[in-house]
mmCIF file of all heavy atoms in Angstrom:
data_model
loop_
_atom_site.group_PDB
_atom_site.id
_atom_site.type_symbol
_atom_site.label_atom_id
_atom_site.label_comp_id
_atom_site.label_asym_id
_atom_site.label_seq_id
_atom_site.Cartn_x
_atom_site.Cartn_y
_atom_site.Cartn_z
ATOM 1 N N HIS B 166 -45.538 27.341 -50.837
ATOM 2 C CA HIS B 166 -45.785 26.108 -50.086
ATOM 3 C C HIS B 166 -46.390 26.487 -48.729
ATOM 4 O O HIS B 166 -45.857 27.341 -48.026
ATOM 5 C CB HIS B 166 -44.475 25.349 -49.894
ATOM 6 C CG HIS B 166 -44.649 23.955 -49.432
ATOM 7 N ND1 HIS B 166 -45.134 23.628 -48.187
ATOM 8 C CD2 HIS B 166 -44.397 22.781 -50.056
ATOM 9 C CE1 HIS B 166 -45.171 22.324 -48.053
ATOM 10 N NE2 HIS B 166 -44.722 21.779 -49.182
ATOM 11 N N PRO B 167 -47.507 25.872 -48.332
ATOM 12 C CA PRO B 167 -48.171 26.257 -47.086
ATOM 13 C C PRO B 167 -47.354 25.996 -45.819
ATOM 14 O O PRO B 167 -47.604 26.623 -44.791
ATOM 15 C CB PRO B 167 -49.465 25.441 -47.073
ATOM 16 C CG PRO B 167 -49.341 24.435 -48.144
ATOM 17 C CD PRO B 167 -48.252 24.863 -49.069
ATOM 18 N N LEU B 168 -46.366 25.107 -45.881
ATOM 19 C CA LEU B 168 -45.540 24.817 -44.711
ATOM 20 C C LEU B 168 -44.141 25.408 -44.808
ATOM 21 O O LEU B 168 -43.537 25.747 -43.793
ATOM 22 C CB LEU B 168 -45.413 23.298 -44.506
ATOM 23 C CG LEU B 168 -46.721 22.533 -44.312
ATOM 24 C CD1 LEU B 168 -46.446 21.040 -44.258
ATOM 25 C CD2 LEU B 168 -47.451 23.009 -43.085
ATOM 26 N N LEU B 169 -43.620 25.528 -46.025
ATOM 27 C CA LEU B 169 -42.219 25.900 -46.212
ATOM 28 C C LEU B 169 -42.013 27.289 -46.819
ATOM 29 O O LEU B 169 -40.879 27.711 -46.991
ATOM 30 C CB LEU B 169 -41.524 24.859 -47.100
ATOM 31 C CG LEU B 169 -41.609 23.412 -46.610
ATOM 32 C CD1 LEU B 169 -41.017 22.467 -47.635
ATOM 33 C CD2 LEU B 169 -40.926 23.270 -45.274
ATOM 34 N N GLY B 170 -43.077 27.973 -47.163
ATOM 35 C CA GLY B 170 -42.951 29.288 -47.783
ATOM 36 C C GLY B 170 -42.696 29.186 -49.281
ATOM 37 O O GLY B 170 -42.913 28.143 -49.894
ATOM 38 N N LEU B 171 -42.223 30.276 -49.878
ATOM 39 C CA LEU B 171 -41.993 30.303 -51.320
ATOM 40 C C LEU B 171 -40.897 29.321 -51.720
ATOM 41 O O LEU B 171 -39.819 29.303 -51.132
ATOM 42 C CB LEU B 171 -41.599 31.712 -51.765
ATOM 43 C CG LEU B 171 -42.718 32.748 -51.755
ATOM 44 C CD1 LEU B 171 -42.159 34.112 -52.140
ATOM 45 C CD2 LEU B 171 -43.855 32.351 -52.662
ATOM 46 N N ARG B 172 -41.208 28.507 -52.715
ATOM 47 C CA ARG B 172 -40.255 27.511 -53.222
ATOM 48 C C ARG B 172 -40.222 27.620 -54.747
ATOM 49 O O ARG B 172 -41.236 27.900 -55.387
ATOM 50 C CB ARG B 172 -40.679 26.079 -52.847
ATOM 51 C CG ARG B 172 -41.001 25.844 -51.385
ATOM 52 C CD ARG B 172 -39.892 26.169 -50.452
ATOM 53 N NE ARG B 172 -38.712 25.382 -50.736
ATOM 54 C CZ ARG B 172 -37.558 25.540 -50.103
ATOM 55 N NH1 ARG B 172 -37.424 26.464 -49.187
ATOM 56 N NH2 ARG B 172 -36.537 24.782 -50.410
ATOM 57 N N ASP B 173 -39.081 27.362 -55.327
ATOM 58 C CA ASP B 173 -38.942 27.386 -56.781
ATOM 59 C C ASP B 173 -39.723 26.216 -57.387
ATOM 60 O O ASP B 173 -39.671 25.094 -56.871
ATOM 61 C CB ASP B 173 -37.463 27.275 -57.160
ATOM 62 C CG ASP B 173 -37.226 27.573 -58.625
ATOM 63 O OD1 ASP B 173 -37.770 26.847 -59.470
ATOM 64 O OD2 ASP B 173 -36.509 28.541 -58.912
ATOM 65 N N ALA B 174 -40.409 26.463 -58.484
ATOM 66 C CA ALA B 174 -41.210 25.423 -59.131
ATOM 67 C C ALA B 174 -40.361 24.241 -59.594
ATOM 68 O O ALA B 174 -40.882 23.135 -59.774
ATOM 69 C CB ALA B 174 -41.986 26.011 -60.307
ATOM 70 N N GLN B 175 -39.058 24.437 -59.759
ATOM 71 C CA GLN B 175 -38.180 23.345 -60.185
ATOM 72 C C GLN B 175 -38.060 22.254 -59.127
ATOM 73 O O GLN B 175 -37.625 21.150 -59.423
ATOM 74 C CB GLN B 175 -36.802 23.882 -60.543
ATOM 75 C CG GLN B 175 -36.821 24.743 -61.779
ATOM 76 C CD GLN B 175 -35.442 25.251 -62.154
ATOM 77 O OE1 GLN B 175 -34.439 24.861 -61.565
ATOM 78 N NE2 GLN B 175 -35.387 26.113 -63.145
ATOM 79 N N GLU B 176 -38.468 22.551 -57.886
ATOM 80 C CA GLU B 176 -38.453 21.541 -56.825
ATOM 81 C C GLU B 176 -39.656 20.607 -56.923
ATOM 82 O O GLU B 176 -39.733 19.622 -56.204
ATOM 83 C CB GLU B 176 -38.489 22.218 -55.449
ATOM 84 C CG GLU B 176 -37.283 23.055 -55.128
ATOM 85 C CD GLU B 176 -37.370 23.680 -53.746
ATOM 86 O OE1 GLU B 176 -38.248 23.293 -52.932
ATOM 87 O OE2 GLU B 176 -36.552 24.571 -53.465
ATOM 88 N N PHE B 177 -40.610 20.926 -57.800
ATOM 89 C CA PHE B 177 -41.876 20.215 -57.884
ATOM 90 C C PHE B 177 -42.027 19.494 -59.212
ATOM 91 O O PHE B 177 -41.381 19.831 -60.197
ATOM 92 C CB PHE B 177 -43.045 21.204 -57.759
ATOM 93 C CG PHE B 177 -43.138 21.886 -56.426
ATOM 94 C CD1 PHE B 177 -42.380 23.008 -56.152
ATOM 95 C CD2 PHE B 177 -43.999 21.414 -55.444
ATOM 96 C CE1 PHE B 177 -42.463 23.651 -54.924
ATOM 97 C CE2 PHE B 177 -44.093 22.046 -54.223
ATOM 98 C CZ PHE B 177 -43.315 23.175 -53.962
ATOM 99 N N THR B 178 -42.910 18.510 -59.214
ATOM 100 C CA THR B 178 -43.337 17.848 -60.434
ATOM 101 C C THR B 178 -44.828 18.100 -60.606
ATOM 102 O O THR B 178 -45.613 17.874 -59.684
ATOM 103 C CB THR B 178 -43.087 16.326 -60.359
ATOM 104 O OG1 THR B 178 -41.691 16.113 -60.173
ATOM 105 C CG2 THR B 178 -43.555 15.629 -61.616
ATOM 106 N N TYR B 179 -45.206 18.588 -61.776
ATOM 107 C CA TYR B 179 -46.606 18.837 -62.109
ATOM 108 C C TYR B 179 -47.273 17.502 -62.400
ATOM 109 O O TYR B 179 -46.752 16.688 -63.157
ATOM 110 C CB TYR B 179 -46.686 19.759 -63.327
ATOM 111 C CG TYR B 179 -48.066 19.888 -63.887
ATOM 112 C CD1 TYR B 179 -48.995 20.715 -63.286
ATOM 113 C CD2 TYR B 179 -48.451 19.174 -65.016
ATOM 114 C CE1 TYR B 179 -50.286 20.842 -63.795
ATOM 115 C CE2 TYR B 179 -49.725 19.294 -65.534
ATOM 116 C CZ TYR B 179 -50.626 20.124 -64.919
ATOM 117 O OH TYR B 179 -51.896 20.241 -65.427
ATOM 118 N N LEU B 180 -48.433 17.269 -61.792
ATOM 119 C CA LEU B 180 -49.085 15.971 -61.957
ATOM 120 C C LEU B 180 -50.467 16.041 -62.587
ATOM 121 O O LEU B 180 -51.120 15.020 -62.741
ATOM 122 C CB LEU B 180 -49.169 15.267 -60.598
ATOM 123 C CG LEU B 180 -47.797 14.921 -60.044
ATOM 124 C CD1 LEU B 180 -47.860 14.537 -58.588
ATOM 125 C CD2 LEU B 180 -47.173 13.808 -60.858
ATOM 126 N N GLY B 181 -50.938 17.230 -62.934
ATOM 127 C CA GLY B 181 -52.204 17.322 -63.646
ATOM 128 C C GLY B 181 -53.309 17.976 -62.844
ATOM 129 O O GLY B 181 -53.105 18.592 -61.803
ATOM 130 N N ASP B 182 -54.490 17.797 -63.354
ATOM 131 C CA ASP B 182 -55.709 18.394 -62.820
ATOM 132 C C ASP B 182 -55.991 17.904 -61.398
ATOM 133 O O ASP B 182 -55.926 16.712 -61.120
ATOM 134 C CB ASP B 182 -56.854 17.994 -63.752
ATOM 135 C CG ASP B 182 -58.156 18.681 -63.472
ATOM 136 O OD1 ASP B 182 -58.360 19.184 -62.357
ATOM 137 O OD2 ASP B 182 -58.993 18.702 -64.388
ATOM 138 N N ALA B 183 -56.320 18.829 -60.511
ATOM 139 C CA ALA B 183 -56.580 18.468 -59.112
ATOM 140 C C ALA B 183 -57.862 17.659 -58.929
ATOM 141 O O ALA B 183 -58.065 17.084 -57.866
ATOM 142 C CB ALA B 183 -56.639 19.725 -58.241
ATOM 143 N N THR B 184 -58.691 17.561 -59.964
ATOM 144 C CA THR B 184 -59.876 16.712 -59.829
ATOM 145 C C THR B 184 -59.497 15.244 -59.694
ATOM 146 O O THR B 184 -60.343 14.411 -59.357
ATOM 147 C CB THR B 184 -60.849 16.890 -61.013
ATOM 148 O OG1 THR B 184 -60.176 16.556 -62.225
ATOM 149 C CG2 THR B 184 -61.400 18.309 -61.079
ATOM 150 N N LEU B 185 -58.212 14.914 -59.911
ATOM 151 C CA LEU B 185 -57.754 13.535 -59.700
ATOM 152 C C LEU B 185 -57.910 13.107 -58.242
ATOM 153 O O LEU B 185 -57.916 11.916 -57.943
ATOM 154 C CB LEU B 185 -56.298 13.374 -60.131
ATOM 155 C CG LEU B 185 -56.045 13.475 -61.638
ATOM 156 C CD1 LEU B 185 -54.552 13.452 -61.921
ATOM 157 C CD2 LEU B 185 -56.748 12.357 -62.371
ATOM 158 N N LEU B 186 -58.070 14.070 -57.348
ATOM 159 C CA LEU B 186 -58.319 13.733 -55.939
ATOM 160 C C LEU B 186 -59.687 13.075 -55.747
ATOM 161 O O LEU B 186 -59.927 12.394 -54.761
ATOM 162 C CB LEU B 186 -58.252 14.998 -55.068
ATOM 163 C CG LEU B 186 -56.891 15.654 -54.928
ATOM 164 C CD1 LEU B 186 -57.023 16.970 -54.174
ATOM 165 C CD2 LEU B 186 -55.928 14.735 -54.221
ATOM 166 N N ASN B 187 -60.578 13.281 -56.711
ATOM 167 C CA ASN B 187 -61.947 12.756 -56.625
ATOM 168 C C ASN B 187 -62.060 11.433 -57.375
ATOM 169 O O ASN B 187 -62.727 11.330 -58.395
ATOM 170 C CB ASN B 187 -62.933 13.779 -57.190
ATOM 171 C CG ASN B 187 -62.813 15.105 -56.490
ATOM 172 O OD1 ASN B 187 -62.623 15.161 -55.284
ATOM 173 N ND2 ASN B 187 -62.907 16.183 -57.244
ATOM 174 N N ARG B 188 -61.395 10.434 -56.852
ATOM 175 C CA ARG B 188 -61.375 9.106 -57.482
ATOM 176 C C ARG B 188 -62.759 8.468 -57.417
ATOM 177 O O ARG B 188 -63.421 8.509 -56.382
ATOM 178 C CB ARG B 188 -60.363 8.230 -56.746
ATOM 179 C CG ARG B 188 -60.107 6.924 -57.406
ATOM 180 C CD ARG B 188 -58.915 6.241 -56.751
ATOM 181 N NE ARG B 188 -58.554 5.094 -57.541
ATOM 182 C CZ ARG B 188 -58.466 3.870 -57.057
ATOM 183 N NH1 ARG B 188 -58.655 3.639 -55.783
ATOM 184 N NH2 ARG B 188 -58.147 2.874 -57.842
ATOM 185 N N PRO B 189 -63.206 7.837 -58.515
ATOM 186 C CA PRO B 189 -64.524 7.185 -58.514
ATOM 187 C C PRO B 189 -64.593 6.016 -57.538
ATOM 188 O O PRO B 189 -63.578 5.412 -57.189
ATOM 189 C CB PRO B 189 -64.673 6.671 -59.946
ATOM 190 C CG PRO B 189 -63.669 7.416 -60.750
ATOM 191 C CD PRO B 189 -62.558 7.774 -59.820
ATOM 192 N N ASP B 190 -65.795 5.696 -57.130
ATOM 193 C CA ASP B 190 -66.039 4.563 -56.241
ATOM 194 C C ASP B 190 -65.953 3.270 -57.050
ATOM 195 O O ASP B 190 -66.749 3.052 -57.967
ATOM 196 C CB ASP B 190 -67.427 4.703 -55.612
ATOM 197 C CG ASP B 190 -67.793 3.532 -54.714
ATOM 198 O OD1 ASP B 190 -66.947 2.640 -54.493
ATOM 199 O OD2 ASP B 190 -68.939 3.526 -54.222
ATOM 200 N N PRO B 191 -64.996 2.394 -56.751
ATOM 201 C CA PRO B 191 -64.862 1.159 -57.526
ATOM 202 C C PRO B 191 -66.032 0.195 -57.334
ATOM 203 O O PRO B 191 -66.208 -0.721 -58.131
ATOM 204 C CB PRO B 191 -63.552 0.553 -57.015
ATOM 205 C CG PRO B 191 -63.306 1.171 -55.699
ATOM 206 C CD PRO B 191 -63.973 2.508 -55.724
ATOM 207 N N GLN B 192 -66.843 0.399 -56.309
ATOM 208 C CA GLN B 192 -67.991 -0.469 -56.050
ATOM 209 C C GLN B 192 -69.258 0.008 -56.751
ATOM 210 O O GLN B 192 -70.289 -0.645 -56.702
ATOM 211 C CB GLN B 192 -68.238 -0.559 -54.543
ATOM 212 C CG GLN B 192 -67.040 -1.046 -53.751
ATOM 213 C CD GLN B 192 -66.547 -2.407 -54.199
ATOM 214 O OE1 GLN B 192 -67.334 -3.314 -54.439
ATOM 215 N NE2 GLN B 192 -65.242 -2.548 -54.336
ATOM 216 N N SER B 193 -69.185 1.165 -57.393
ATOM 217 C CA SER B 193 -70.343 1.750 -58.062
ATOM 218 C C SER B 193 -70.773 0.890 -59.251
ATOM 219 O O SER B 193 -69.962 0.216 -59.883
ATOM 220 C CB SER B 193 -69.984 3.156 -58.532
ATOM 221 O OG SER B 193 -70.822 3.592 -59.544
ATOM 222 N N GLU B 194 -72.065 0.946 -59.579
ATOM 223 C CA GLU B 194 -72.569 0.214 -60.747
ATOM 224 C C GLU B 194 -72.002 0.784 -62.046
ATOM 225 O O GLU B 194 -71.944 0.087 -63.053
ATOM 226 C CB GLU B 194 -74.097 0.263 -60.780
ATOM 227 C CG GLU B 194 -74.750 -0.527 -59.671
ATOM 228 C CD GLU B 194 -76.268 -0.500 -59.768
ATOM 229 O OE1 GLU B 194 -76.799 -0.164 -60.843
ATOM 230 O OE2 GLU B 194 -76.907 -0.826 -58.765
ATOM 231 N N THR B 195 -71.598 2.036 -62.026
ATOM 232 C CA THR B 195 -71.046 2.690 -63.215
ATOM 233 C C THR B 195 -69.527 2.854 -63.116
ATOM 234 O O THR B 195 -68.949 3.732 -63.742
ATOM 235 C CB THR B 195 -71.703 4.072 -63.412
ATOM 236 O OG1 THR B 195 -71.443 4.864 -62.249
ATOM 237 C CG2 THR B 195 -73.199 3.950 -63.644
ATOM 238 N N ALA B 196 -68.888 1.995 -62.336
ATOM 239 C CA ALA B 196 -67.447 2.117 -62.083
ATOM 240 C C ALA B 196 -66.626 2.073 -63.380
ATOM 241 O O ALA B 196 -65.682 2.843 -63.533
ATOM 242 C CB ALA B 196 -66.978 1.043 -61.115
ATOM 243 N N ASP B 197 -66.964 1.189 -64.307
ATOM 244 C CA ASP B 197 -66.175 1.078 -65.540
ATOM 245 C C ASP B 197 -66.163 2.399 -66.300
ATOM 246 O O ASP B 197 -65.102 2.895 -66.691
ATOM 247 C CB ASP B 197 -66.710 -0.027 -66.447
ATOM 248 C CG ASP B 197 -66.419 -1.416 -65.917
ATOM 249 O OD1 ASP B 197 -65.557 -1.549 -65.017
ATOM 250 O OD2 ASP B 197 -67.067 -2.372 -66.386
#
């Protein structure tokens, strides 16, 4: 952990691929 140091993975929940940070623009013509 960048702020807390080494932490056991059991303290975390896996949420998937980090590309989820790149959410599409809902106003785009190809939004659907």
Side-chain angles (χ1 to χ4, degrees):
H166 194 293
L168 301 175
L169 304 174
L171 288 177
R172 309 302 300 176
D173 192 299
Q175 292 181 7
E176 295 181 12
F177 295 83
T178 300
Y179 170 79
L180 295 166
D182 188 339
T184 59
L185 291 174
L186 292 174
N187 304 321
R188 188 170 189 235
D190 178 5
Q192 303 302 317
S193 159
E194 291 182 18
T195 60
D197 288 344

